[in-house]
């Protein structure tokens, strides 16, 4: 286990690309123990000079869209081109037990066994946006370990998926056609965030449905405001199962970087992402610190008792707690 005495050794092993060291560093970053959080912050400070060089790719899509099959095929294509590929696969956590299946390694078996690939299943632990709270730190650790392509696969639970776009360079929304309500994929939040719409399962008798969906998505993208001034989002198709169209998709993604990087838009995007993350996390930490105050905790318990007895409405309870914070803490 990483501790203050062997931290330097772990950083060296991490920089050498040792997968065991990377896995343990990720476990440390995910820990909520106060001592582990302090050590994790120190580790991240030391590796920051070695981060930022990888291409960051986000992939989302509804359950059944074939995300794992797509990522396996894409990962194998990238490995054949000499890349080192890390996949952070976020898995939904149970709201009852808090547990996660974390089965992405079994669905991406060839990729997880490859020498120059690393697949890390991560529980969302109830964090919204299709990611986990530590996903950004895990990306940095992968970059420090020498992976030049870092892919974040989201949980695929709906329109809250858009937060992954705030931590990657390029965002792919994976869709399927002919499986029900095709309009479900044309949700404005996801469509505005996506740099590519990829329609999977373009094989067999589904080709006609895919072609119809491609035209529909293409028309929708042209009436939605662009995320980046210099980039018009594209609609592509593939069959991940047959590994057809995967190389074309990667070539298109590389075109995205060739447009964004020289123009300075990529650097500006990452700067906005970092500042936004600092502000968001600062607000979350401030709120957590606020509710550790004994006087506020006691007041909340009193309001909860009144709510349970139906003596006040939820709106009145919110107002009472807000007034208490304003009068006792910020006055």
């Amino acid at each position: 286990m990483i501790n203050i005495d062997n931290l330097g050794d772990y950083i060296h092993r991490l920089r050498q690309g040792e997968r065991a060291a990377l896995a343990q560093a990720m476990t440390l970053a995910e820990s909520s123990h106060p001592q582990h959080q302090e050590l994790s912050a120190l580790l991240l400070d030391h590796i920051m000079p070695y981060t930022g060089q990888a291409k960051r790719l986000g992939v989302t899509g509804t359950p059944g869209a074939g995300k794992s099959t797509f990522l396996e095929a894409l990962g194998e294509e990238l490995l054949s081109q000499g890349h080192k590929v890390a996949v952070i696969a976020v898995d939904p956590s149970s709201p009852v037990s808090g547990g996660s299946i974390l089965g992405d390694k079994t669905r991406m078996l060839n990729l997880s066994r490859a020498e120059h690939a690393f697949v890390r299943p991560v529980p969302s632990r109830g964090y919204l946006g299709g990611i986990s709270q530590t996903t950004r730190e895990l990306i940095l650790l992968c970059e420090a370990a020498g992976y030049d392509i870092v892919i974040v696969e989201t949980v695929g639970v709906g329109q809250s998926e858009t937060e992954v776009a705030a931590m990657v360079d390029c965002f792919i929304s994976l869709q399927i056609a002919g499986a029900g309500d095709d309009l479900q994929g044309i949700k404005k939040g996801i469509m505005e965030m996506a740099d590519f719409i990829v329609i999977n399962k373009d094989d067999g008798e589904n080709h006609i449905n895919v072609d119809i969906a491609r035209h529909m998505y293409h028309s929708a993208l042209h009436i939605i405001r662009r995320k980046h001034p210099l980039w018009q989002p594209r609609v592509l198709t593939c069959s991940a199962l047959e590994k057809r169209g995967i190389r074309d998709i990667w070539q298109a993604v590389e075109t995205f970087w060739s447009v964004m990087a020289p123009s300075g838009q990529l650097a500006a995007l990452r700067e906005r992402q970092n500042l936004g993350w600092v502000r968001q996390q600062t607000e979350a930490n401030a709120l957590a610190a606020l509710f550790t105050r004994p006087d506020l905790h006691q007041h909340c318990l009193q309001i909860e008792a009144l709510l349970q007895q139906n003596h006040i409405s939820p709106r009145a309870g919110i107002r009472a707690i807000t007034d208490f914070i304003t009068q006792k803490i910020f006055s």
Side-chain angles (χ1 to χ4, degrees):
M1 184 63 186
I2 303 176
N3 56 56
I4 192 64
D5 296 323
N6 62 20
L7 181 62
D9 178 59
Y10 266 96
I11 293 173
H12 175 74
R13 290 166 54 193
L14 177 68
R15 292 286 299 123
Q16 295 299 311
E18 186 178 317
R19 290 198 287 186
L22 174 58
Q24 291 183 59
M26 286 183 162
T27 300
L28 179 68
E30 292 174 328
S31 174
S32 59
H33 192 284
Q35 290 184 351
H36 292 168
Q37 289 183 342
E38 291 181 9
L39 189 59
S40 174
L42 190 59
L43 169 63
L44 290 166
D45 286 344
H46 278 82
I47 64 150
M48 283 306 295
Y50 312 111
T51 64
Q53 301 304 312
K55 295 177 178 177
R56 303 170 183 175
L57 180 66
V59 178
T60 187
T62 55
K67 293 191 298 295
S68 296
T69 307
F70 173 75
L71 287 177
E72 174 106 316
L74 178 61
E76 290 178 351
E77 172 64 28
L78 294 175
L79 292 176
S80 72
Q81 296 184 21
H83 294 287
K84 289 189 66 177
V85 183
V87 178
I88 301 169
V90 184
D91 213 30
S93 297
S94 167
V96 178
S97 67
S100 300
I101 297 175
L102 301 179
D104 293 273
K105 275 195 172 183
T106 62
R107 294 198 295 259
M108 292 181 270
L109 197 58
N110 293 333
L111 193 60
S112 62
R113 290 175 173 174
E115 180 182 358
H116 295 296
F118 182 86
V119 179
R120 175 74 175 198
V122 177
S124 66
R125 295 176 180 170
Y127 194 75
L128 299 178
I131 58 171
S132 76
Q133 194 168 9
T134 57
T135 303
R136 290 172 176 83
E137 285 82 1
L138 302 188
I139 291 173
L140 297 176
L141 290 170
C142 290
E143 291 179 339
Y147 291 92
D148 62 323
I149 308 289
V150 181
I151 304 173
V152 180
E153 178 201 6
T154 71
V155 300
V157 293
Q159 295 181 73
S160 65
E161 300 284 285
T162 55
E163 189 165 333
V164 71
M167 64 181 68
V168 297
D169 307 327
C170 183
F171 183 39
I172 293 177
S173 177
L174 195 67
Q175 302 293 334
I176 52 176
D181 183 10
D182 287 335
L183 288 175
Q184 187 67 22
I186 308 182
K187 298 295 188 179
K188 189 174 182 182
I190 293 179
M191 290 288 286
E192 286 182 339
M193 293 295 101
D195 300 298
F196 291 93
I197 302 292
V198 175
I199 307 172
N200 191 19
K201 304 187 179 181
D202 184 8
D203 41 46
E205 298 179 355
N206 201 39
H207 179 71
I208 295 176
N209 292 325
V210 169
D211 196 48
I212 294 171
R214 181 175 61 83
H215 286 289
M216 184 170 58
Y217 284 116
H218 182 76
S219 299
L221 285 174
H222 278 78
I223 62 174
I224 292 176
R225 185 180 61 182
R226 294 186 187 183
K227 183 171 70 170
H228 306 297
L230 295 181
W231 181 256
Q232 173 61 49
R234 302 183 184 181
V235 183
L236 304 169
T237 66
C238 73
S239 171
L241 188 62
E242 297 177 358
K243 296 181 172 57
R244 184 165 37 80
I246 301 299
R247 180 168 296 180
D248 293 337
I249 290 171
W250 180 246
Q251 288 176 349
V253 171
E254 286 192 306
T255 300
F256 169 85
W257 271 298
S258 70
V259 170
M260 293 289 290
S263 67
Q265 288 196 42
L266 181 59
L269 172 65
R270 289 193 175 186
E271 183 178 330
R272 290 195 304 271
Q273 289 175 345
N274 287 336
L275 294 175
W277 169 240
V278 168
R279 180 170 183 175
Q280 179 183 347
Q281 198 58 42
T282 299
E283 291 174 353
N285 292 347
L287 189 62
L290 180 64
F291 277 90
T292 60
R293 289 179 57 110
D295 54 349
L296 178 58
H297 177 69
Q298 185 61 37
H299 185 69
C300 288
L301 291 177
Q302 294 172 1
I303 297 301
E304 288 175 6
L306 293 174
L307 286 168
Q308 291 171 351
Q309 298 165 12
N310 287 330
H311 288 171
I312 61 172
S313 68
R315 179 177 292 187
I318 294 171
R319 186 173 62 249
I321 294 174
T322 303
D323 290 344
F324 181 88
I325 292 174
T326 301
Q327 296 170 7
K328 297 291 185 179
I329 299 175
F330 296 119
S331 60

